[in-house]
Amino acid sequence: MSRTTTVVGPEAAADVLGVIQAAFGARPPLDPPAPALLETLESVATALATDGGLLLTEDGVALGSLIFRREGDTLVLRRFGVVPTAQGSGVAGDLVRAAEEHALSLGITALRVVARVELPASVAFWDHNGFVQAGREGETLHMVKVFPIRLELPTPEAAHTFGQRLAALLRAGDLLILTGDLGAGKTTFTKGIGAGLQVRGEVTSPTFIIARVHPSLVGGPALVHADAYRLGSIDEIDDLDLEMTLAEAVTVVEWGAGLAEGLADDRLEIDIVRTLGDVSSVEDTDVRQVVVRPIGKRWLDTPWHTLT
Ligand code: ADP
Ligand code: MG
């Protein structure tokens, strides 16, 4: 058996319409009904001619498909369907992965789908694939997945500048969780955030003080900088009382992975990695790779392109 997923245009309208009718026709009736069942050959061909779609076939038989619609930096997945006979065979997951690949090749920063509240299995599927609920209209949920942002930081100055640029996108209530080995550049990056937010006091590697508040000099949010390196448990992170200042400040937790996630549903998880990995290197400068993972709907309309 050979399974292939192809980016298609209007030439595939008949196959895509066939999948839509089989997939949506097999669902329990919904109120209001799914508009997918009103699609025609013409409407599908027109939609495919605009932004294309995906068709998954096995030995030439169409098993699943979707239609793309581009809205700015977001790619909307419409009419996502798997024929009833192929359900549970991984077709849906293959379609999502192919959609992500296509989106990345277009420089898209987020995917969006709609799911029906009455179909909890479908909501759970998107959730499992990293989509979060971003809004609700009646029985319709909008679910969104924002892609990780990857950057190279060739020098400590680049790490600082990255922090400064990111600060311009932050506001009170934001939580950043930093991961990376000792010396990766977490504090260097946080200094950049402090500079960008224009806060008082030098951002340093906390030694005995494990959480420090830097008030704003310009009427903006404070920077709360915590270092969880010496903390062993969630209870100890509770003792830092980060919750007290969370809403009014930008909170940055070094070594917070596995400890600080519970503080906020919306957060940025940032990994900094020394790629050369040679710890004995005498050079003061070597390249870091950074990955920013936006979690939650807070980050939907963030102009990430300003980071580069
Ligand atoms: P951490 O807080 O992750 O333990 P620090 O920011 O305190 O790390 O230290 C990072 C050290 O590595 C600093 O001395 C910095 O000058 C140096 N460095 C070298 N190259 C880079 C780079 N590309 N990005 C960030 N820091 C770098
Ligand atoms: Mg540090």
Side-chain angles (χ1 to χ4, degrees):
M1 282 192 304
S2 74
R3 212 179 246 191
T4 38
T5 307
T6 325
V7 177
V8 293
E11 75 289 346
D15 278 333
V16 171
L17 181 65
V19 172
I20 291 172
Q21 287 173 341
F24 288 83
R27 287 176 165 192
L30 300 175
D31 182 27
L37 289 169
L38 303 175
E39 292 279 12
T40 62
L41 200 54
E42 290 69 41
S43 66
V44 170
T46 306
L48 289 173
T50 311
D51 289 312
L54 285 179
L55 182 66
L56 183 150
T57 60
E58 194 167 84
D59 299 330
V61 180
L63 298 184
S65 62
L66 62 83
I67 298 174
F68 291 124
R69 183 174 62 218
R70 189 168 180 163
E71 291 180 6
D73 282 345
T74 300
L75 197 60
V76 185
L77 312 185
R78 300 172 60 240
R79 308 294 184 249
F80 185 98
V82 176
V83 301
T85 50
Q87 269 165 23
S89 66
V91 169
D94 287 351
L95 281 174
V96 177
R97 280 183 288 280
E100 288 190 16
E101 228 170 84
H102 183 61
L104 288 171
S105 77
L106 294 174
I108 290 283
T109 56
L111 291 179
R112 190 167 80 232
V113 291
V114 297
R116 294 289 291 249
V117 180
E118 311 97 298
L119 302 174
S122 143
V123 176
F125 169 80
W126 294 113
D127 187 60
H128 177 74
N129 280 281
F131 288 69
V132 296
Q133 287 185 25
R136 177 173 178 165
E137 293 166 60
E139 302 304 296
T140 300
L141 293 179
H142 294 269
M143 301 192 72
V144 177
K145 177 171 190 170
V146 182
F147 293 134
I149 298 104
R150 288 162 210 278
L151 292 178
E152 193 171 271
L153 307 174
T155 61
E157 292 72 31
H160 191 273
T161 305
F162 165 57
Q164 237 171 331
R165 287 186 180 151
L166 186 64
L169 304 177
L170 299 177
R171 58 178 186 236
D174 288 341
L175 171 68
L176 281 64
I177 297 179
L178 310 189
T179 305
D181 291 339
L182 208 56
K186 300 181 294 299
T187 301
T188 306
F189 159 74
T190 310
K191 283 179 198 283
I193 293 191
L197 292 176
Q198 303 187 54
V199 295
R200 198 170 71 211
E202 201 200 337
V203 173
T204 54
S205 297
T207 45
F208 295 106
I209 305 158
I210 42 189
R212 182 177 263 148
V213 182
H214 299 271
S216 173
L217 295 169
V218 292
L223 171 65
V224 173
H225 176 210
D227 192 316
Y229 185 54
R230 289 180 179 76
L231 298 184
S233 72
I234 310 250
D235 292 346
E236 285 176 298
I237 200 139
D238 279 352
D239 291 343
L240 294 184
D241 279 337
L242 295 174
E243 263 134 353
M244 267 181 39
T245 48
L246 197 64
E248 307 92 63
V250 167
T251 304
V252 176
V253 187
E254 295 191 36
W255 301 100
L259 293 170
E261 288 84 356
L263 290 170
D265 288 339
D266 292 345
R267 56 189 186 267
L268 291 181
E269 296 182 358
I270 301 179
D271 291 356
I272 306 178
V273 180
R274 276 186 79 162
T275 28
L276 289 185
D278 179 3
V279 209
S280 62
S281 161
V282 288
E283 309 288 334
D284 328 331
T285 290
D286 61 78
V287 176
R288 268 62 162 169
Q289 304 293 331
V290 59
V291 182
V292 181
R293 269 187 210 83
I295 316 279
K297 64 184 175 191
R298 150 75 179 97
W299 312 105
L300 287 186
D301 299 315
T302 306
W304 298 112
H305 59 267
T306 57
L307 290 181
T308 48

